[in-house]
Amino acid sequence: MKEESDDDDDDNVESMPQTKKKKILSPVYIIDLLFYLKASDDPDKLEVALKAAENLIREKSEFGMELDDHAVELARILIGLQNNFDLNRFEENRHAAMVALICGSPKIAVPYIIQQFFEKKYSLAEKYMILSVLSTGARELAGLQVKKNIEDKKELDTLSQEISKLNLIPLKTLKNDKVRRFSSKPLVESMRTTSVNRFNELAAKTFFFPLTTGFWNLARDRSRGNFMNDPTLVQRYVTTLGMIVQCSINTISLSQITREFWDLIFSLRFFDDPAVLSSLLFGISAILNVLSERELAESFGKELVESQQWVTTIFESKINEQVQSMAAWVLVKIKEIIKEYQVLLMGNLLPIT
């Protein structure tokens, strides 16, 4: 009986058809891409979709309304997409697809993406990702150089990269009576480009003010979320705003943007977390770099003096070397402006009688 059973098993094995895995074609239209991305139980379709997404989105942004028609749904799916199958380069491909979407259909995709950032249903990782793609998209729209290779979410930790552009000063500089002049020219020049700057018309209404409006709404209604309870999220949020301000250097609304940003920074002064303080100092440094010294003295005298007082406290607290170095840069820059435009500042700060 045993021999017969073995023979039967052999016959069954031989009679089994040899099936080949069906090749999945790359999506040709956005609706095909959406269909693949929704195939949550098919890792092969998801992988093909993610690999093709960036190029397809950029291709469709060149003509027709196809991308605009599906921009919101595409953003919704990409934000909530989970790597349940441990696909290779999942985060990098998703990041690239969302940046392409932001640049291809900014007036439709960006407001929706920002709205989702303030929703409670998303995880911190998804919120970090949203901030990352917003800052990367802003840079690309502004015509700046953007690194295309995103590995292990390193693009999310951009603060140190941005700080390095400030050419932070030695701490001993503050002890000198003579003010050493620090020009913002290197950073300002790095923000200029020969490429077409599509960000100018989008900076205020599409990117910056929707991000700050959501913040103020949450600040007034704490029951809607715990935004303030996560220092890392606050740090990345402020840093993203600072990078948007940098990209807005040639924008007509720059003065209104910087005034709003300064108010927001002041509202967060109660934080003592070093990462948050670093982002707030980075935000002030961005403002000091994108506006001319004369405009700062003429229109923001109160903010300059208030910032000087607050940042002096931070500097003297010696929280850590990075925070202290950033505080030193801000203080020297403000001191430089006050020295140059002392008469103008005094006139603006004197009470009207």
Side-chain angles (χ1 to χ4, degrees):
M1 294 291 293
K2 183 177 182 181
E3 291 180 358
E4 290 178 3
S5 177
D6 289 342
D7 290 340
D8 290 342
D9 289 343
D10 290 340
D11 290 340
N12 289 335
V13 170
E14 290 177 1
S15 64
M16 288 178 64
Q18 298 296 318
T19 59
K20 289 186 177 180
K21 189 176 180 181
K22 187 177 179 181
K23 182 178 180 181
I24 299 175
L25 299 177
S26 292
V28 177
Y29 301 102
I30 296 297
I31 195 169
D32 298 329
L33 177 62
L34 288 168
F35 177 74
Y36 281 19
L37 290 172
K38 290 176 182 178
S40 57
D41 59 343
D42 192 333
D44 296 323
K45 283 186 178 179
L46 281 175
E47 187 169 30
V48 169
L50 285 169
K51 286 181 178 179
E54 179 188 11
N55 289 337
L56 180 60
I57 291 170
R58 292 189 183 279
E59 175 188 326
K60 295 301 181 180
S61 67
E62 297 294 328
F63 57 89
M65 299 296 294
E66 185 180 355
L67 183 61
D68 286 347
D69 290 342
H70 299 286
V72 169
E73 186 179 8
L74 193 52
R76 179 184 64 80
I77 293 174
L78 286 170
I79 292 172
L81 203 60
Q82 302 295 317
N83 190 14
N84 296 325
F85 301 103
D86 294 324
L87 300 178
N88 291 331
R89 301 169 69 86
F90 174 89
E91 291 294 349
E92 181 177 351
N93 288 330
R94 178 170 68 159
H95 188 282
M98 288 201 65
V99 171
L101 178 59
I102 284 171
C103 296
S105 184
K107 291 184 179 180
I108 297 176
V110 173
Y112 176 79
I113 291 171
I114 290 175
Q115 181 184 7
Q116 301 315 296
F117 172 76
F118 293 103
E119 294 292 333
K120 292 177 64 175
K121 62 183 177 180
Y122 293 106
S123 67
L124 286 175
E126 289 164 338
K127 290 177 183 289
Y128 297 159
M129 184 270 296
I130 288 174
L131 293 175
S132 177
V133 297
L134 287 173
S135 60
T136 306
R139 286 167 170 266
E140 182 175 331
L141 287 166
L144 305 178
Q145 291 293 326
V146 179
K147 292 182 180 179
K148 298 193 71 175
N149 293 323
I150 311 299
E151 299 176 1
D152 299 328
K153 303 182 183 179
K154 288 181 181 178
E155 182 65 18
L156 295 176
D157 299 313
T158 54
L159 182 59
S160 61
Q161 299 171 22
E162 296 306 308
I163 292 170
S164 66
K165 295 179 182 178
L166 299 175
N167 297 319
L168 295 179
I169 62 176
L171 301 184
K172 62 182 181 181
T173 305
L174 278 186
K175 299 177 182 178
N176 298 334
D177 292 330
K178 184 177 179 180
V179 177
R180 176 183 168 192
R181 293 199 55 83
F182 289 88
S183 174
S184 61
K185 186 176 180 181
L187 180 58
V188 171
E189 289 301 322
S190 73
M191 303 303 297
R192 303 193 189 282
T193 175
T194 56
S195 304
V196 176
N197 188 333
R198 298 168 54 207
F199 190 67
N200 284 349
E201 64 171 326
L202 302 166
K205 291 184 179 180
T206 305
F207 279 81
F208 187 84
F209 287 117
L211 270 171
T212 56
T213 298
F215 169 85
W216 294 122
N217 287 338
L218 280 184
R220 285 191 291 267
D221 184 7
R222 295 293 182 87
S223 64
R224 289 183 53 200
N226 59 349
F227 183 94
M228 299 292 188
N229 296 335
D230 188 272
T232 303
L233 185 59
V234 174
Q235 176 253 314
R236 296 185 182 192
Y237 169 77
V238 175
T239 303
T240 299
L241 287 175
M243 295 169 71
I244 290 173
V245 168
Q246 285 185 335
C247 293
S248 307
I249 191 168
N250 298 316
T251 303
I252 296 175
S253 305
L254 182 59
S255 182
Q256 291 91 335
I257 287 173
T258 51
R259 187 173 299 283
E260 174 87 357
F261 192 28
W262 228 325
D263 288 344
L264 187 144
I265 288 171
F266 283 160
S267 75
L268 295 172
R269 285 180 292 182
F270 64 88
F271 274 99
D272 56 6
D273 181 87
V276 175
L277 288 176
S278 292
S279 68
L280 296 176
L281 292 168
F282 167 66
I284 294 178
S285 69
I287 292 172
L288 297 178
N289 272 315
V290 297
L291 290 176
S292 69
E293 293 183 356
R294 182 173 185 84
E295 184 172 2
L296 285 164
E298 198 168 57
S299 303
F300 297 94
K302 179 178 178 294
E303 287 82 0
L304 283 173
V305 173
E306 196 169 343
S307 294
Q308 185 182 38
Q309 295 170 348
W310 170 53
V311 177
T312 298
T313 303
I314 295 175
F315 177 79
E316 293 175 348
S317 66
K318 299 180 180 180
I319 295 172
N320 62 38
E321 187 175 351
Q322 176 176 284
V323 171
Q324 197 176 17
S325 294
M326 294 183 71
W329 190 95
V330 171
L331 289 174
V332 171
K333 184 68 179 177
I334 292 176
K335 187 176 180 182
E336 172 184 304
I337 297 169
I338 291 175
K339 181 178 176 65
E340 183 73 15
Y341 296 95
Q342 188 171 10
V343 175
L344 183 61
L345 273 165
M346 288 296 293
N348 287 335
L349 293 176
L350 286 174
I352 297 175
T353 57

PDB file of all heavy atoms in Angstrom, residues 187-214:
ATOM      1  N   LEU A 187      24.166  82.945   2.233  1.00  0.00           N
ATOM      2  CA  LEU A 187      22.919  82.185   2.297  1.00  0.00           C
ATOM      3  C   LEU A 187      21.914  82.710   1.292  1.00  0.00           C
ATOM      4  O   LEU A 187      21.250  81.944   0.597  1.00  0.00           O
ATOM      5  CB  LEU A 187      22.326  82.241   3.699  1.00  0.00           C
ATOM      6  CG  LEU A 187      21.009  81.491   3.895  1.00  0.00           C
ATOM      7  CD1 LEU A 187      21.181  80.021   3.532  1.00  0.00           C
ATOM      8  CD2 LEU A 187      20.515  81.633   5.315  1.00  0.00           C
ATOM      9  N   VAL A 188      21.829  84.049   1.174  1.00  0.00           N
ATOM     10  CA  VAL A 188      20.878  84.633   0.239  1.00  0.00           C
ATOM     11  C   VAL A 188      21.219  84.226  -1.186  1.00  0.00           C
ATOM     12  O   VAL A 188      20.349  83.862  -1.983  1.00  0.00           O
ATOM     13  CB  VAL A 188      20.866  86.171   0.367  1.00  0.00           C
ATOM     14  CG1 VAL A 188      20.053  86.788  -0.761  1.00  0.00           C
ATOM     15  CG2 VAL A 188      20.300  86.589   1.719  1.00  0.00           C
ATOM     16  N   GLU A 189      22.515  84.262  -1.525  1.00  0.00           N
ATOM     17  CA  GLU A 189      22.923  83.885  -2.875  1.00  0.00           C
ATOM     18  C   GLU A 189      22.611  82.423  -3.144  1.00  0.00           C
ATOM     19  O   GLU A 189      22.289  82.047  -4.272  1.00  0.00           O
ATOM     20  CB  GLU A 189      24.422  84.150  -3.066  1.00  0.00           C
ATOM     21  CG  GLU A 189      24.778  85.640  -3.136  1.00  0.00           C
ATOM     22  CD  GLU A 189      24.065  86.344  -4.284  1.00  0.00           C
ATOM     23  OE1 GLU A 189      23.921  85.723  -5.359  1.00  0.00           O
ATOM     24  OE2 GLU A 189      23.639  87.491  -4.111  1.00  0.00           O
ATOM     25  N   SER A 190      22.726  81.590  -2.103  1.00  0.00           N
ATOM     26  CA  SER A 190      22.443  80.162  -2.299  1.00  0.00           C
ATOM     27  C   SER A 190      20.978  79.926  -2.588  1.00  0.00           C
ATOM     28  O   SER A 190      20.602  78.885  -3.121  1.00  0.00           O
ATOM     29  CB  SER A 190      22.858  79.360  -1.058  1.00  0.00           C
ATOM     30  OG  SER A 190      21.958  79.585   0.005  1.00  0.00           O
ATOM     31  N   MET A 191      20.120  80.891  -2.222  1.00  0.00           N
ATOM     32  CA  MET A 191      18.698  80.734  -2.454  1.00  0.00           C
ATOM     33  C   MET A 191      18.279  81.239  -3.833  1.00  0.00           C
ATOM     34  O   MET A 191      17.160  81.044  -4.253  1.00  0.00           O
ATOM     35  CB  MET A 191      17.899  81.501  -1.387  1.00  0.00           C
ATOM     36  CG  MET A 191      18.208  81.084   0.030  1.00  0.00           C
ATOM     37  SD  MET A 191      17.945  79.337   0.309  1.00  0.00           S
ATOM     38  CE  MET A 191      16.202  79.209   0.025  1.00  0.00           C
ATOM     39  N   ARG A 192      19.185  81.946  -4.507  1.00  0.00           N
ATOM     40  CA  ARG A 192      18.848  82.446  -5.830  1.00  0.00           C
ATOM     41  C   ARG A 192      19.081  81.360  -6.864  1.00  0.00           C
ATOM     42  O   ARG A 192      19.858  80.458  -6.677  1.00  0.00           O
ATOM     43  CB  ARG A 192      19.686  83.687  -6.158  1.00  0.00           C
ATOM     44  CG  ARG A 192      19.504  84.806  -5.121  1.00  0.00           C
ATOM     45  CD  ARG A 192      20.068  86.110  -5.616  1.00  0.00           C
ATOM     46  NE  ARG A 192      20.077  87.106  -4.564  1.00  0.00           N
ATOM     47  CZ  ARG A 192      19.017  87.785  -4.168  1.00  0.00           C
ATOM     48  NH1 ARG A 192      17.860  87.555  -4.718  1.00  0.00           N
ATOM     49  NH2 ARG A 192      19.103  88.684  -3.208  1.00  0.00           N
ATOM     50  N   THR A 193      18.424  81.476  -7.974  1.00  0.00           N
ATOM     51  CA  THR A 193      18.505  80.429  -8.978  1.00  0.00           C
ATOM     52  C   THR A 193      18.261  80.996 -10.358  1.00  0.00           C
ATOM     53  O   THR A 193      17.617  82.029 -10.520  1.00  0.00           O
ATOM     54  CB  THR A 193      17.462  79.338  -8.693  1.00  0.00           C
ATOM     55  OG1 THR A 193      17.495  78.397  -9.765  1.00  0.00           O
ATOM     56  CG2 THR A 193      16.056  79.908  -8.589  1.00  0.00           C
ATOM     57  N   THR A 194      18.795  80.315 -11.348  1.00  0.00           N
ATOM     58  CA  THR A 194      18.536  80.711 -12.724  1.00  0.00           C
ATOM     59  C   THR A 194      17.314  79.976 -13.268  1.00  0.00           C
ATOM     60  O   THR A 194      16.852  80.248 -14.358  1.00  0.00           O
ATOM     61  CB  THR A 194      19.755  80.392 -13.601  1.00  0.00           C
ATOM     62  OG1 THR A 194      20.070  78.998 -13.472  1.00  0.00           O
ATOM     63  CG2 THR A 194      20.948  81.216 -13.178  1.00  0.00           C
ATOM     64  N   SER A 195      16.804  79.011 -12.490  1.00  0.00           N
ATOM     65  CA  SER A 195      15.621  78.270 -12.915  1.00  0.00           C
ATOM     66  C   SER A 195      14.370  79.123 -12.709  1.00  0.00           C
ATOM     67  O   SER A 195      14.391  80.136 -12.015  1.00  0.00           O
ATOM     68  CB  SER A 195      15.489  76.975 -12.104  1.00  0.00           C
ATOM     69  OG  SER A 195      16.658  76.196 -12.211  1.00  0.00           O
ATOM     70  N   VAL A 196      13.292  78.686 -13.328  1.00  0.00           N
ATOM     71  CA  VAL A 196      12.020  79.385 -13.153  1.00  0.00           C
ATOM     72  C   VAL A 196      11.528  79.156 -11.733  1.00  0.00           C
ATOM     73  O   VAL A 196      11.447  78.033 -11.251  1.00  0.00           O
ATOM     74  CB  VAL A 196      10.982  78.861 -14.162  1.00  0.00           C
ATOM     75  CG1 VAL A 196       9.631  79.517 -13.922  1.00  0.00           C
ATOM     76  CG2 VAL A 196      11.454  79.113 -15.583  1.00  0.00           C
ATOM     77  N   ASN A 197      11.203  80.245 -11.040  1.00  0.00           N
ATOM     78  CA  ASN A 197      10.720  80.152  -9.668  1.00  0.00           C
ATOM     79  C   ASN A 197       9.201  80.151  -9.677  1.00  0.00           C
ATOM     80  O   ASN A 197       8.562  81.184  -9.813  1.00  0.00           O
ATOM     81  CB  ASN A 197      11.252  81.325  -8.843  1.00  0.00           C
ATOM     82  CG  ASN A 197      10.945  81.174  -7.365  1.00  0.00           C
ATOM     83  OD1 ASN A 197       9.976  80.533  -6.979  1.00  0.00           O
ATOM     84  ND2 ASN A 197      11.764  81.770  -6.526  1.00  0.00           N
ATOM     85  N   ARG A 198       8.639  78.955  -9.524  1.00  0.00           N
ATOM     86  CA  ARG A 198       7.184  78.812  -9.507  1.00  0.00           C
ATOM     87  C   ARG A 198       6.631  79.008  -8.100  1.00  0.00           C
ATOM     88  O   ARG A 198       5.408  79.026  -7.912  1.00  0.00           O
ATOM     89  CB  ARG A 198       6.788  77.426 -10.024  1.00  0.00           C
ATOM     90  CG  ARG A 198       7.202  77.144 -11.457  1.00  0.00           C
ATOM     91  CD  ARG A 198       7.030  75.674 -11.789  1.00  0.00           C
ATOM     92  NE  ARG A 198       5.673  75.215 -11.504  1.00  0.00           N
ATOM     93  CZ  ARG A 198       5.373  73.952 -11.198  1.00  0.00           C
ATOM     94  NH1 ARG A 198       6.319  73.034 -11.132  1.00  0.00           N
ATOM     95  NH2 ARG A 198       4.116  73.613 -10.945  1.00  0.00           N
ATOM     96  N   PHE A 199       7.520  79.152  -7.134  1.00  0.00           N
ATOM     97  CA  PHE A 199       7.081  79.190  -5.743  1.00  0.00           C
ATOM     98  C   PHE A 199       6.527  80.553  -5.344  1.00  0.00           C
ATOM     99  O   PHE A 199       5.720  80.636  -4.418  1.00  0.00           O
ATOM    100  CB  PHE A 199       8.247  78.821  -4.824  1.00  0.00           C
ATOM    101  CG  PHE A 199       7.835  78.591  -3.399  1.00  0.00           C
ATOM    102  CD1 PHE A 199       7.037  77.515  -3.056  1.00  0.00           C
ATOM    103  CD2 PHE A 199       8.243  79.448  -2.390  1.00  0.00           C
ATOM    104  CE1 PHE A 199       6.645  77.297  -1.742  1.00  0.00           C
ATOM    105  CE2 PHE A 199       7.868  79.242  -1.075  1.00  0.00           C
ATOM    106  CZ  PHE A 199       7.069  78.170  -0.749  1.00  0.00           C
ATOM    107  N   ASN A 200       6.954  81.609  -6.029  1.00  0.00           N
ATOM    108  CA  ASN A 200       6.552  82.960  -5.628  1.00  0.00           C
ATOM    109  C   ASN A 200       5.045  83.120  -5.485  1.00  0.00           C
ATOM    110  O   ASN A 200       4.555  83.670  -4.499  1.00  0.00           O
ATOM    111  CB  ASN A 200       7.086  83.991  -6.630  1.00  0.00           C
ATOM    112  CG  ASN A 200       8.573  84.251  -6.440  1.00  0.00           C
ATOM    113  OD1 ASN A 200       9.152  83.828  -5.448  1.00  0.00           O
ATOM    114  ND2 ASN A 200       9.189  84.920  -7.396  1.00  0.00           N
ATOM    115  N   GLU A 201       4.297  82.649  -6.465  1.00  0.00           N
ATOM    116  CA  GLU A 201       2.841  82.822  -6.416  1.00  0.00           C
ATOM    117  C   GLU A 201       2.164  81.850  -5.454  1.00  0.00           C
ATOM    118  O   GLU A 201       0.976  82.002  -5.147  1.00  0.00           O
ATOM    119  CB  GLU A 201       2.255  82.648  -7.824  1.00  0.00           C
ATOM    120  CG  GLU A 201       2.432  81.259  -8.405  1.00  0.00           C
ATOM    121  CD  GLU A 201       1.650  81.081  -9.689  1.00  0.00           C
ATOM    122  OE1 GLU A 201       0.561  81.665  -9.792  1.00  0.00           O
ATOM    123  OE2 GLU A 201       2.128  80.351 -10.573  1.00  0.00           O
ATOM    124  N   LEU A 202       2.914  80.851  -4.978  1.00  0.00           N
ATOM    125  CA  LEU A 202       2.339  79.826  -4.107  1.00  0.00           C
ATOM    126  C   LEU A 202       2.745  79.994  -2.646  1.00  0.00           C
ATOM    127  O   LEU A 202       2.106  79.418  -1.764  1.00  0.00           O
ATOM    128  CB  LEU A 202       2.791  78.436  -4.578  1.00  0.00           C
ATOM    129  CG  LEU A 202       2.446  78.042  -6.009  1.00  0.00           C
ATOM    130  CD1 LEU A 202       3.256  76.815  -6.424  1.00  0.00           C
ATOM    131  CD2 LEU A 202       0.962  77.770  -6.161  1.00  0.00           C
ATOM    132  N   ALA A 203       3.806  80.739  -2.395  1.00  0.00           N
ATOM    133  CA  ALA A 203       4.426  80.783  -1.068  1.00  0.00           C
ATOM    134  C   ALA A 203       3.436  81.136   0.033  1.00  0.00           C
ATOM    135  O   ALA A 203       3.339  80.424   1.041  1.00  0.00           O
ATOM    136  CB  ALA A 203       5.587  81.777  -1.073  1.00  0.00           C
ATOM    137  N   ALA A 204       2.713  82.214  -0.137  1.00  0.00           N
ATOM    138  CA  ALA A 204       1.849  82.717   0.931  1.00  0.00           C
ATOM    139  C   ALA A 204       0.533  81.948   1.024  1.00  0.00           C
ATOM    140  O   ALA A 204       0.234  81.312   2.043  1.00  0.00           O
ATOM    141  CB  ALA A 204       1.580  84.208   0.723  1.00  0.00           C
ATOM    142  N   LYS A 205      -0.261  81.984  -0.030  1.00  0.00           N
ATOM    143  CA  LYS A 205      -1.629  81.448   0.025  1.00  0.00           C
ATOM    144  C   LYS A 205      -1.685  79.923   0.010  1.00  0.00           C
ATOM    145  O   LYS A 205      -2.596  79.326   0.597  1.00  0.00           O
ATOM    146  CB  LYS A 205      -2.445  82.007  -1.138  1.00  0.00           C
ATOM    147  CG  LYS A 205      -2.737  83.498  -1.015  1.00  0.00           C
ATOM    148  CD  LYS A 205      -3.636  83.969  -2.145  1.00  0.00           C
ATOM    149  CE  LYS A 205      -3.956  85.462  -2.011  1.00  0.00           C
ATOM    150  NZ  LYS A 205      -4.840  85.931  -3.115  1.00  0.00           N
ATOM    151  N   THR A 206      -0.738  79.281  -0.658  1.00  0.00           N
ATOM    152  CA  THR A 206      -0.810  77.830  -0.809  1.00  0.00           C
ATOM    153  C   THR A 206      -0.027  77.095   0.258  1.00  0.00           C
ATOM    154  O   THR A 206      -0.476  76.064   0.769  1.00  0.00           O
ATOM    155  CB  THR A 206      -0.305  77.414  -2.206  1.00  0.00           C
ATOM    156  OG1 THR A 206      -1.046  78.116  -3.206  1.00  0.00           O
ATOM    157  CG2 THR A 206      -0.451  75.914  -2.429  1.00  0.00           C
ATOM    158  N   PHE A 207       1.147  77.607   0.631  1.00  0.00           N
ATOM    159  CA  PHE A 207       2.013  76.906   1.580  1.00  0.00           C
ATOM    160  C   PHE A 207       1.983  77.511   2.979  1.00  0.00           C
ATOM    161  O   PHE A 207       1.525  76.872   3.932  1.00  0.00           O
ATOM    162  CB  PHE A 207       3.463  76.911   1.069  1.00  0.00           C
ATOM    163  CG  PHE A 207       3.769  75.866   0.050  1.00  0.00           C
ATOM    164  CD1 PHE A 207       3.439  76.050  -1.285  1.00  0.00           C
ATOM    165  CD2 PHE A 207       4.414  74.682   0.411  1.00  0.00           C
ATOM    166  CE1 PHE A 207       3.729  75.081  -2.238  1.00  0.00           C
ATOM    167  CE2 PHE A 207       4.717  73.708  -0.528  1.00  0.00           C
ATOM    168  CZ  PHE A 207       4.368  73.908  -1.852  1.00  0.00           C
ATOM    169  N   PHE A 208       2.458  78.735   3.116  1.00  0.00           N
ATOM    170  CA  PHE A 208       2.765  79.267   4.451  1.00  0.00           C
ATOM    171  C   PHE A 208       1.527  79.518   5.305  1.00  0.00           C
ATOM    172  O   PHE A 208       1.428  78.995   6.428  1.00  0.00           O
ATOM    173  CB  PHE A 208       3.586  80.553   4.330  1.00  0.00           C
ATOM    174  CG  PHE A 208       4.073  81.059   5.658  1.00  0.00           C
ATOM    175  CD1 PHE A 208       5.229  80.559   6.226  1.00  0.00           C
ATOM    176  CD2 PHE A 208       3.352  82.013   6.360  1.00  0.00           C
ATOM    177  CE1 PHE A 208       5.672  81.004   7.471  1.00  0.00           C
ATOM    178  CE2 PHE A 208       3.789  82.461   7.604  1.00  0.00           C
ATOM    179  CZ  PHE A 208       4.946  81.952   8.146  1.00  0.00           C
ATOM    180  N   PHE A 209       0.599  80.302   4.824  1.00  0.00           N
ATOM    181  CA  PHE A 209      -0.533  80.687   5.671  1.00  0.00           C
ATOM    182  C   PHE A 209      -1.477  79.525   5.996  1.00  0.00           C
ATOM    183  O   PHE A 209      -2.003  79.473   7.114  1.00  0.00           O
ATOM    184  CB  PHE A 209      -1.283  81.872   5.059  1.00  0.00           C
ATOM    185  CG  PHE A 209      -0.516  83.168   5.193  1.00  0.00           C
ATOM    186  CD1 PHE A 209      -0.082  83.856   4.080  1.00  0.00           C
ATOM    187  CD2 PHE A 209      -0.204  83.676   6.444  1.00  0.00           C
ATOM    188  CE1 PHE A 209       0.643  85.033   4.198  1.00  0.00           C
ATOM    189  CE2 PHE A 209       0.524  84.853   6.584  1.00  0.00           C
ATOM    190  CZ  PHE A 209       0.949  85.546   5.458  1.00  0.00           C
ATOM    191  N   PRO A 210      -1.700  78.574   5.085  1.00  0.00           N
ATOM    192  CA  PRO A 210      -2.474  77.396   5.504  1.00  0.00           C
ATOM    193  C   PRO A 210      -1.799  76.620   6.632  1.00  0.00           C
ATOM    194  O   PRO A 210      -2.470  76.110   7.537  1.00  0.00           O
ATOM    195  CB  PRO A 210      -2.551  76.554   4.220  1.00  0.00           C
ATOM    196  CG  PRO A 210      -2.492  77.552   3.126  1.00  0.00           C
ATOM    197  CD  PRO A 210      -1.526  78.595   3.618  1.00  0.00           C
ATOM    198  N   LEU A 211      -0.456  76.552   6.625  1.00  0.00           N
ATOM    199  CA  LEU A 211       0.260  75.870   7.703  1.00  0.00           C
ATOM    200  C   LEU A 211       0.137  76.612   9.023  1.00  0.00           C
ATOM    201  O   LEU A 211      -0.019  76.002  10.078  1.00  0.00           O
ATOM    202  CB  LEU A 211       1.739  75.714   7.339  1.00  0.00           C
ATOM    203  CG  LEU A 211       2.136  74.445   6.582  1.00  0.00           C
ATOM    204  CD1 LEU A 211       3.583  74.527   6.110  1.00  0.00           C
ATOM    205  CD2 LEU A 211       1.923  73.200   7.433  1.00  0.00           C
ATOM    206  N   THR A 212       0.204  77.934   8.990  1.00  0.00           N
ATOM    207  CA  THR A 212       0.100  78.690  10.245  1.00  0.00           C
ATOM    208  C   THR A 212      -1.348  78.789  10.728  1.00  0.00           C
ATOM    209  O   THR A 212      -1.600  78.783  11.930  1.00  0.00           O
ATOM    210  CB  THR A 212       0.686  80.105  10.092  1.00  0.00           C
ATOM    211  OG1 THR A 212       0.044  80.791   9.013  1.00  0.00           O
ATOM    212  CG2 THR A 212       2.183  80.029   9.809  1.00  0.00           C
ATOM    213  N   THR A 213      -2.298  78.863   9.804  1.00  0.00           N
ATOM    214  CA  THR A 213      -3.711  78.912  10.204  1.00  0.00           C
ATOM    215  C   THR A 213      -4.094  77.648  10.965  1.00  0.00           C
ATOM    216  O   THR A 213      -4.771  77.705  11.995  1.00  0.00           O
ATOM    217  CB  THR A 213      -4.617  79.074   8.973  1.00  0.00           C
ATOM    218  OG1 THR A 213      -4.317  80.320   8.328  1.00  0.00           O
ATOM    219  CG2 THR A 213      -6.087  79.055   9.372  1.00  0.00           C
ATOM    220  N   GLY A 214      -3.654  76.505  10.459  1.00  0.00           N
ATOM    221  CA  GLY A 214      -3.916  75.249  11.154  1.00  0.00           C
ATOM    222  C   GLY A 214      -3.306  75.224  12.540  1.00  0.00           C
ATOM    223  O   GLY A 214      -3.901  74.707  13.499  1.00  0.00           O
TER     224      GLY A 214
END
